[in-house]
Amino acid sequence: MIRDNMGSPKIHQSDSKNRRLTYIFVTTGLCVLFYLLGSWQNLTTPKLNESSNLAANRESDLNDSPSLSSGSALDFEAHHRQNLSATSAAVEKFPPCGLNFSEYTPCQDRPRGRRFEREMLAYRERHCPGDDELIRCLVPAPPRYKTPFPWPQSRDYAWYDNIPHKELSIEKAVQNWIQVEGDRFRFPGGGTMFPRGADAYIDDINGLVSLTDGSIRTAIDTGCGVASWGAYLLKRDIVAMSFAPRDTHEAQVQFALERGVPAMIGVMATQRLPYPARAFDMAHCSRCLIPWYAYDGLYLMEVDRVLRPGGYWVLSGPPIHWKKYYIGWERTEEDLKKEQDSIEEVAKRICWKKVIEQEDLAIWQKPINHAECNKNRDIYNSPPICSDDRPDAAWYTKMNACLTPLPEVSNEDEVAGGELKKWPERAFAVPPRISSGSIPGLDSKKFEQDNALWKERIAYYNRIIMPLGHGRYRNVMDMNANLGGFAAVMTNYPVWVMNVVPANSDYDTLGVIYERGFIGTYQDWCEAFSTYPRTYDLIHADRIFSIYQERCDITYILLEMDRILRPEGTVIIRDTVEVLTKVQAITDGMRWQNQILDHETGPFNPEKILVAVKTYWTAEATTEK
């Protein structure tokens, strides 16, 4: 009986079933084991070496505190390095440029600018080199270059060796812009129209228009000097886009960025400013010497274009309070009165309301919509309404002396384009440009998903580079900012972000970024950026090379990144394996340490991340300039 039972068909079926279950459990267990092993390897991250060539060269800071580790030596022996060698071809080694290139700004090159007209300062605008003028060398740091002071010390101090120009300390000595103290510069916070300092000057503005209730978050400072106005606004949670021409006063924008303050090279001339319409909550001019009334009020109309509905324009300096200052300004009373009357007239024609004029300050406010303005067109029938239906178009777009129309409203109390939340709520609130459906393919759900995505990504960045809160990074650039999710999460750290939207993007999202309370600019990455060398600590590039690899030689994009990156600065590039392989082959010849790492979701994601650190090196002190 026993023998018969063991040989029964039911017993055979049971054994076969058990074997199948065992096989399934073993196979599943092995899969889980190997997945966990891969995930564990993905979490093994490179560490920044606490020792650093740059840190070793840096002198102690003002408080004799230990110098920051500067991140020159990533441990690129992590287990999750991909074997992605692109080709056996020899790597091109890029030589250093001469010391005379140490402050090279390709699109604001002075000799090239002289080829263009001086009328309306056209020669100071962007004029980029042609293909025959492009350079294939690495822009050097000056000898004895040191790590900038960490924020907030950098607001007040910079190393002389990093920007060896004393011109401003002499030319602007009376205004107290900048002073030389031994081996460093000190920025007392002075300015031509704020001798008591920028902090006291901003308090004066705050007494007239609230700067502390969160309604004003973004500002633009035309003719910024060394950006002390923007520097002292930061502690009030207001971020200013400061700009000035190349070398009106030697290296003023370079000084601003060395201080850790947002700034760009720029000028009001013939082209629109590279910012979208309705971007800034406040515009500011402190003796910026811009002829606001000239050319039929052209420049004031450009300020109107970039100023949000209800935004403010602050003017100090000529001609304001001219009865007191006309002798010092070496101008006649009649001339100054005529200038102020002309400004007042232009402001009325574009429907601005003068809020107040008190002592050295005058403040105007843009209307929240054009309902009443349209009713008064019979009174002020000029300027004409702009016929161009692209108010955000601002990349190589000519200014026109016309009034940029605001979005239609249903009643006179409605804010054109949608009302913005106050800061800091507006950083993560759905921007009006998205909630209104004005950007195809984007809605509130996708906006929230994008925010969640960047929280995850930046948590991962904190593991693969020196932690963002450590103080190593201050000036950060996002080369393809999309909705500004990267910048939004970065508000948790002591940094500011220059959000760049490629000028050839399918959808223009820069207006969304400004509605969230961040700053940025348009840019074609086949050209150089409007900044000095060594002005960014961290550059983030999300699929930028996939966008541009068919448009121009990506070698020059990488050389431009090297130009604007500080010694021992960090680069994070996200893209496909194929693209990163090409990028890595180029960076191997650029004195960068680099490594391709897995995506934050694991090794099976086809997108990878290249992390690189620019090594510390400088021009030789004996190099002929």
Side-chain angles (χ1 to χ4, degrees):
M1 291 292 295
I2 295 175
R3 188 176 298 170
D4 290 342
N5 287 338
M6 291 184 65
S8 68
K10 291 182 179 180
I11 296 296
H12 285 309
Q13 290 173 3
S14 177
D15 286 346
S16 177
K17 184 177 181 180
N18 289 336
R19 283 195 296 272
R20 283 197 300 272
L21 289 172
T22 301
Y23 174 77
I24 290 170
F25 283 129
V26 169
T27 303
T28 303
L30 287 173
C31 290
V32 171
L33 176 63
F34 284 118
Y35 179 79
L36 292 175
L37 179 61
S39 297
W40 174 81
Q41 289 179 331
N42 188 54
L43 292 173
T44 304
T45 57
K47 305 294 183 183
L48 287 167
N49 195 320
E50 292 301 318
S51 64
S52 164
N53 293 335
L54 187 51
N57 280 280
R58 175 181 172 177
E59 302 177 25
S60 61
D61 65 21
L62 296 173
N63 298 319
D64 293 321
S65 60
S67 61
L68 296 174
S69 62
S70 55
S72 65
L74 282 166
D75 177 10
F76 284 143
E77 297 303 317
H79 296 292
H80 49 323
R81 179 177 173 86
Q82 304 298 306
N83 184 14
L84 299 173
S85 179
T87 176
S88 58
V91 172
E92 179 181 0
K93 297 292 184 182
F94 297 94
C97 307
L99 181 57
N100 58 311
F101 280 88
S102 68
E103 294 179 1
Y104 181 50
T105 54
C107 295
Q108 284 85 18
D109 182 59
R110 283 174 290 181
R112 185 180 303 108
R114 295 190 190 106
R115 306 173 194 168
F116 297 87
E117 294 182 4
R118 300 186 69 85
E119 185 180 358
M120 295 182 69
L121 299 181
Y123 74 107
R124 289 192 179 275
E125 292 184 304
R126 284 177 59 88
H127 303 294
C128 297
D131 291 344
D132 59 334
E133 298 176 282
L134 297 175
I135 61 172
R136 293 179 76 93
C137 56
L138 305 177
V139 173
R144 299 177 299 279
Y145 179 90
K146 302 176 181 67
T147 305
F149 291 97
W151 183 265
Q153 279 181 307
S154 63
R155 186 193 69 183
D156 302 325
Y157 293 92
W159 296 112
Y160 174 80
D161 285 331
N162 292 7
I163 312 177
H165 293 291
K166 294 184 179 180
E167 294 87 345
L168 277 176
S169 64
I170 299 169
E171 184 178 347
K172 295 294 180 179
V174 177
Q175 283 84 17
N176 230 12
W177 280 21
I178 184 172
Q179 297 175 356
V180 179
E181 295 183 351
D183 59 357
R184 66 199 65 177
F185 292 107
R186 186 169 74 86
F187 302 92
T192 307
M193 292 307 300
F194 31 96
R196 294 180 295 122
D199 220 13
Y201 174 80
I202 292 170
D203 285 340
D204 290 342
I205 297 174
N206 185 54
L208 305 175
V209 175
S210 177
L211 302 178
T212 57
D213 65 359
S215 59
I216 295 176
R217 164 62 182 173
T218 58
I220 183 170
D221 189 13
T222 54
C224 65
V226 294
S228 288
W229 189 72
Y232 283 87
L233 279 175
L234 287 167
K235 70 178 185 179
R236 296 165 172 84
D237 276 339
I238 297 174
V239 59
M241 175 68 81
S242 301
F243 73 88
R246 170 73 157 87
D247 290 340
T248 297
H249 302 301
E250 193 69 44
Q252 54 187 336
V253 168
Q254 191 177 15
F255 275 117
L257 288 156
E258 190 73 9
R259 300 174 70 183
V261 178
M264 285 180 62
I265 300 173
V267 63
M268 297 197 78
T270 69
Q271 309 276 354
R272 282 181 174 179
L273 299 174
Y275 317 119
R278 312 194 313 275
F280 298 98
D281 305 320
M282 177 174 280
H284 174 257
C285 163
S286 175
R287 202 173 187 183
C288 59
L289 305 181
I290 295 172
W292 297 111
Y293 58 92
Y295 312 112
D296 295 324
L298 178 70
Y299 298 136
L300 213 52
M301 292 176 206
E302 175 63 2
V303 171
D304 178 82
R305 184 186 71 86
V306 300
L307 202 59
R308 72 162 172 83
Y312 297 95
W313 184 53
V314 180
L315 176 64
S316 66
I320 304 304
H321 209 11
W322 54 267
K323 291 181 180 179
K324 176 180 178 181
Y325 293 115
Y326 77 95
I327 296 177
W329 290 339
E330 298 181 351
R331 293 175 60 183
T332 65
E333 295 178 85
E334 293 77 14
D335 181 40
L336 286 162
K337 182 180 184 302
K338 181 180 178 180
E339 180 179 344
Q340 179 152 354
D341 289 345
S342 299
I343 291 174
E344 302 270 11
E345 178 64 20
V346 174
K348 286 180 182 178
R349 288 194 286 115
I350 59 177
C351 304
W352 287 7
K353 175 185 176 182
K354 190 170 188 180
V355 177
I356 194 169
E357 180 176 334
Q358 183 172 300
E359 296 295 329
D360 299 343
L361 290 167
I363 301 177
W364 285 262
Q365 186 175 23
K366 179 177 176 176
I368 61 172
N369 58 56
H370 277 166
E372 184 178 350
C373 187
N374 291 333
K375 292 179 181 178
N376 295 332
R377 293 300 296 172
D378 292 337
I379 301 174
Y380 298 108
N381 55 12
S382 66
I385 301 297
C386 297
S387 58
D388 185 0
D389 61 354
R390 299 181 306 138
D392 289 348
W395 185 248
Y396 292 122
T397 303
K398 288 286 185 182
M399 289 187 200
N400 285 310
C402 57
L403 181 63
T404 301
L406 289 172
E408 295 292 332
V409 295
S410 57
N411 61 74
E412 293 185 358
D413 296 324
E414 183 182 347
V415 178
E419 190 169 0
L420 299 177
K421 300 289 185 181
K422 291 187 176 182
W423 183 264
E425 185 182 357
R426 74 189 261 194
F428 289 96
V430 179
R433 276 174 163 92
I434 290 181
S435 59
S436 65
S438 62
I439 302 179
L442 289 177
D443 55 24
S444 300
K445 183 178 179 180
K446 290 183 178 179
F447 176 76
E448 299 295 347
Q449 289 172 343
D450 187 73
N451 285 336
L453 175 69
W454 283 106
K455 288 177 182 178
E456 179 184 5
R457 288 180 170 181
I458 289 179
Y460 183 58
Y461 293 164
N462 262 313
R463 299 199 299 269
I464 66 175
I465 64 173
M466 180 179 286
L468 297 166
H470 193 285
R472 176 65 184 89
Y473 310 111
R474 172 61 186 171
N475 301 351
V476 179
M477 174 181 284
D478 191 0
M479 294 176 69
N480 185 22
N482 194 20
L483 301 180
F486 173 84
V489 182
M490 293 289 276
T491 56
N492 296 322
Y493 306 101
V495 305
W496 65 271
V497 179
M498 178 68 77
N499 295 280
V500 180
V501 171
N504 59 309
S505 295
D506 292 336
Y507 300 113
D508 182 355
T509 56
L510 191 55
V512 168
I513 291 168
Y514 274 95
E515 287 180 342
R516 300 185 70 173
F518 306 116
I519 59 171
T521 183
Y522 296 108
Q523 170 68 22
D524 183 342
W525 285 112
C526 290
E527 300 179 358
F529 192 75
S530 292
T531 191
Y532 283 83
R534 302 173 301 282
T535 46
Y536 285 89
D537 306 302
L538 173 65
I539 299 177
H540 181 262
D542 184 10
R543 290 188 173 256
I544 201 73
F545 294 98
S546 285
I547 295 172
Y548 280 95
Q549 64 177 339
E550 301 300 329
R551 296 191 61 238
C552 52
D553 186 347
I554 65 172
T555 300
Y556 291 107
I557 299 178
L558 287 162
L559 288 172
E560 173 64 3
M561 293 169 71
D562 182 83
R563 182 185 74 88
I564 68 178
L565 188 66
R566 295 195 195 279
E568 297 190 328
T570 301
V571 173
I572 301 173
I573 304 174
R574 308 178 66 95
D575 224 308
T576 64
V577 170
E578 179 185 7
V579 171
L580 289 186
T581 299
K582 298 176 184 177
V583 170
Q584 189 178 46
I586 298 168
T587 60
D588 282 342
M590 291 174 54
R591 304 194 188 192
W592 287 10
Q593 295 178 340
N594 62 77
Q595 181 173 5
I596 297 178
L597 310 177
D598 286 328
H599 192 271
E600 62 270 5
T601 60
F604 304 111
N605 194 306
E607 182 178 85
K608 302 295 178 186
I609 300 172
L610 185 146
V611 179
V613 172
K614 178 179 175 178
T615 58
Y616 175 77
W617 63 277
T618 70
E620 296 292 335
T622 55
T623 302
E624 183 178 353
K625 186 168 182 178

